Amino acid sequence: MTLSETPVPASTPRTRAKARHILDNYFIGPARDASVLEIWGYTDRMTYAPGDRLALRVSTTAEHWDLEIGRDGARYEPLHSDTGIAGMHQVTPEDCSVAGCGWDVSYEFTIPDDWREGGYLVSMTAERDGDQVEEHHLFLLRRADDKPPAPYVLICATGTWLAYNCWGGSNHYEGITGPDRNAFSPVVSTQRPWTRGFCKLPEGAPRAVPDTPHKPGTMVRYPYMEWAYAYGYSKKYASAGWASYERHFAVWAEEQGFEFDFATQHDLEADPELLKRYKCAVFVGHDEYWSANMRDAVDRYTASGGRVARFGGNFLWQTRIEDEGRTQICYKYTAEQDPLVGSDQEHLVTTAWEVAPANRPGAQTFGVNGLKGVYTGLGRCVGQGSGGFTVYRPDHWALTGTQLGYGDQLGAASRIFGYEVDGVDYRMEDGLPFATGADGADPALEIVAMGLATNIEPTHGVWGETAYIADADAQFKARALFGEVTPETLDRSSRGNGAIVHWHRGEGEVFTAGTCEWVMGLTRRDWQVEQVTCNVLVRFGVSGRAR
Ligand SMILES: [Fe+2]
């Protein structure tokens, strides 16, 4: 060591204790320091059509940057690139997560007419003094209106992407808003980059549900948060985004030859009649946040004969979309602060669907809801569960060809059951679950398979461990369902389930496999999960009523 070098402080138990914990709030965002090499970008819209002008807003501290746009399908296809684009270091307001970045357009491009529908990855790279950074953005490309529609449309869960996007500091969970700069934001903007890991992830990035069940006697761990912290990705990368969820489905469906068009929930908000073009609408992954308009669009669609396949979980919060789609509102646990409280629009207050003044049970749309379900396979929350659904009605058409019998596990090998699941209120009779209808579900719906979930992470006193999920969710549920939090209501609010259900809704049909991780059954080639998915898509798409 030479004397001019500054010694690095040693890591001791005392100094380490001051370091941030993987469970703390940390976020991705601009350094606001020209000496730090960085590049970030976003587009005004989430969806484009061939022929549209795409305007990319990029901020970089490098003098020049390079761009590649490619279709992120079964095989990645690079389709457009440019190099040596002049860099601009743009001013990012402190409240960018809430009000948007307001950056100038740095690159414009007309999307060629022959680009196919799908997810398009925008890769931006910059170099300085031998150092290189690479960040990503993503947009969906829909079919041109003059092409015949695909039988299926995948509606990406952009309400949930936005809710979890930590870029700039704040999302619907944690944040830097409020007088102490430590509060979540009930208002989030689309006009900012997606956080690291939402658009592209390396192979092997851990899922929220670990690959193996929790080993008793060992400390509880959350490998995805450890990985995110270690490699500089968003703490929420495994919770939302194209790379963690929709992409897995899109790739599998393309490989199987199912013809899909692509849209976002925000497209549903702007164009409620969009679904009419398709025989079947598909929702996958972590799909937690919906506006009333988005729900209305799905309800009208099924009422008039549309088929809905939901291989996703956590249908919970009502949102509002404002400012022509640029702003999403969700007050959640602080819904009493929603400005619509006491107004003639009180039914649009952003709280859980089942709770006053929303009072619109989620089960009426999808047969299951988030309040009856929630954590499983996450940390100690059913951490020693099988990872699959228990089959109750093996003769249901959706299980044709799966070789599954009563009591068998569906998807345990591929760990599809978690990390948040949607449940149904049920009673058992002669070894079979029946919907009670108490939660708004149609009592005629069939429960094909089920598993257990919890709202409170148990602790077993293993030395050295810190649990992630305390009882905040159970407290909310206790207040919502029983009006008060007592040891008894907390206990009654702690238990949930995740279910696979099917029923006829109006002229249409709904199939829901209420779990975020269903897509892992496809990517991991769990043939029984693939068979169920095919059974549903074939019935809903091929034999579906022409629309
Ligand atoms: Fe969630």
Side-chain angles (χ1 to χ4, degrees):
M1 188 184 86
T2 63
L3 285 176
S4 61
E5 281 177 318
T6 310
V8 176
S11 178
T12 71
R14 196 170 295 269
T15 56
R16 279 193 62 78
K18 289 180 184 167
R20 281 187 165 156
H21 190 281
I22 62 154
L23 302 182
D24 284 350
N25 180 27
Y26 64 92
F27 59 89
I28 304 297
R32 295 190 179 84
D33 177 352
S35 71
V36 175
L37 177 64
E38 63 179 356
I39 186 162
W40 303 105
Y42 66 94
T43 48
D44 297 12
R45 288 154 52 188
M46 300 178 192
T47 314
Y48 292 87
D52 280 352
R53 195 86 177 142
L54 181 135
L56 201 53
R57 295 165 193 269
V58 173
S59 175
T60 179
T61 47
E63 272 182 40
H64 298 100
W65 59 283
D66 298 344
L67 169 73
E68 181 175 290
I69 302 178
R71 184 174 181 276
D72 196 17
R75 179 174 64 80
Y76 174 75
E77 301 164 62
L79 292 168
H80 174 81
S81 64
D82 210 339
T83 55
I85 307 161
M88 276 197 286
H89 190 204
Q90 311 215 34
V91 173
T92 309
E94 180 74 12
D95 65 349
C96 60
S97 304
V98 180
C101 289
W103 293 345
D104 291 334
V105 172
S106 353
Y107 191 86
E108 285 193 272
F109 170 72
T110 299
I111 297 171
D113 288 336
D114 61 349
W115 282 19
R116 285 189 297 152
E117 56 281 352
Y120 281 74
L121 197 60
V122 178
S123 301
M124 299 161 285
T125 52
E127 254 184 67
R128 191 169 65 192
D129 303 329
D131 191 14
Q132 192 189 58
V133 284
E134 176 176 335
E135 302 294 348
H136 304 97
H137 184 61
L138 182 114
F139 64 87
L140 283 312
L141 190 69
R142 68 166 178 269
R143 280 186 177 212
D145 288 342
D146 58 0
K147 270 172 86 176
Y152 307 95
V153 62
L154 179 67
I155 305 290
C156 297
T158 45
T160 303
W161 297 8
L162 269 182
Y164 281 91
N165 185 18
C166 68
W167 200 95
S170 298
N171 56 21
H172 285 337
Y173 291 83
E174 294 163 327
I176 56 170
T177 56
D180 299 324
R181 303 181 78 249
N182 64 354
F184 87 101
S185 180
V187 180
V188 292
S189 173
T190 61
Q191 301 301 296
R192 53 178 171 146
W194 292 117
T195 191
R196 289 197 88 212
F198 271 30
C199 304
K200 183 174 181 177
L201 281 170
E203 281 300 323
R207 307 286 304 176
V209 173
D211 294 349
T212 53
H214 176 69
K215 198 170 154 207
T218 63
M219 72 174 277
V220 65
R221 290 180 59 185
Y222 310 92
Y224 75 101
M225 283 191 275
E226 297 172 8
W227 185 88
Y229 190 81
Y231 292 101
Y233 282 79
S234 168
K235 182 183 170 185
K236 300 295 191 189
Y237 84 84
S239 293
W242 169 259
S244 275
Y245 291 104
E246 281 86 348
R247 178 179 184 274
H248 290 279
F249 185 87
V251 165
W252 176 85
E254 192 171 315
E255 285 172 347
Q256 299 299 311
F258 289 107
E259 212 185 325
F260 268 82
D261 198 354
F262 294 80
T264 66
Q265 284 182 317
H266 283 70
D267 294 327
L268 273 191
E269 172 84 19
D271 178 9
E273 302 304 311
L274 178 153
L275 295 177
K276 279 190 175 169
R277 291 167 62 86
Y278 307 100
K279 289 179 178 167
C280 173
V282 176
F283 304 87
V284 304
H286 192 176
D287 189 12
E288 180 173 356
Y289 294 80
W290 283 64
S291 72
N293 291 334
M294 297 166 184
R295 239 187 113 171
D296 291 344
V298 171
D299 284 351
R300 271 199 307 274
Y301 176 64
T302 48
S304 63
R307 271 79 182 269
V308 165
R310 179 175 163 87
F311 306 104
N314 202 216
F315 189 73
L316 185 58
W317 302 108
Q318 169 163 250
T319 63
R320 285 197 306 280
I321 305 299
E322 296 183 352
D323 190 23
E324 294 176 345
R326 289 186 281 266
T327 302
Q328 176 168 291
I329 319 280
C330 197
Y331 280 82
K332 303 171 70 176
Y333 302 118
T334 60
E336 68 283 356
Q337 294 171 24
D338 191 319
L340 290 195
V341 171
S343 75
D344 61 356
Q345 295 292 297
E346 203 172 51
H347 61 289
L348 298 178
V349 164
T350 53
T351 184
W353 290 109
E354 286 69 24
V355 177
N359 292 327
R360 187 181 177 188
Q364 292 171 354
T365 296
F366 290 118
V368 291
N369 73 62
L371 219 53
K372 279 284 166 197
V374 94
Y375 306 110
T376 187
L378 176 70
R380 282 205 188 281
C381 297
V382 199
Q384 295 169 68
S386 75
F389 288 91
T390 301
V391 171
Y392 285 94
R393 289 187 168 83
D395 295 332
H396 190 273
W397 58 260
L399 300 192
T400 303
T402 60
Q403 300 180 16
L404 287 164
Y406 179 82
D408 278 342
Q409 296 293 301
L410 167 64
S414 52
R415 312 277 293 159
I416 64 169
F417 193 62
Y419 75 100
E420 293 177 349
V421 294
D422 283 339
V424 60
D425 197 68
Y426 69 97
R427 64 182 165 77
M428 294 296 284
E429 195 178 303
D430 192 23
L432 289 173
F434 293 86
T436 66
D439 54 0
D442 184 338
L445 74 72
E446 279 196 283
I447 301 173
V448 179
M450 277 184 89
L452 300 182
T454 179
N455 275 281
I456 299 178
E457 189 165 15
T459 51
H460 301 299
V462 172
W463 182 85
E465 74 176 10
T466 306
Y468 176 44
I469 304 294
D471 61 2
D473 294 278
Q475 285 195 32
F476 174 77
K477 190 172 164 183
R479 258 193 308 276
L481 299 183
F482 306 108
E484 58 176 349
V485 180
T486 66
E488 196 219 337
T489 61
L490 210 52
D491 177 63
R492 289 179 65 190
S493 304
S494 65
R495 289 177 286 278
N497 66 84
I500 298 179
V501 303
H502 164 252
W503 91 107
H504 293 268
R505 189 180 189 284
E507 300 281 302
E509 248 177 297
V510 181
F511 178 91
T512 295
T515 179
C516 297
E517 290 291 292
W518 183 273
V519 293
M520 278 300 99
L522 309 178
T523 291
R524 291 171 178 161
R525 310 313 301 252
D526 184 332
W527 71 267
Q528 290 169 313
V529 179
E530 293 183 275
Q531 182 69 48
V532 174
T533 316
C534 284
N535 289 344
V536 174
L537 292 180
V538 169
R539 177 184 168 105
F540 284 8
V542 176
S543 65
R545 207 173 80 173
R547 304 185 59 71

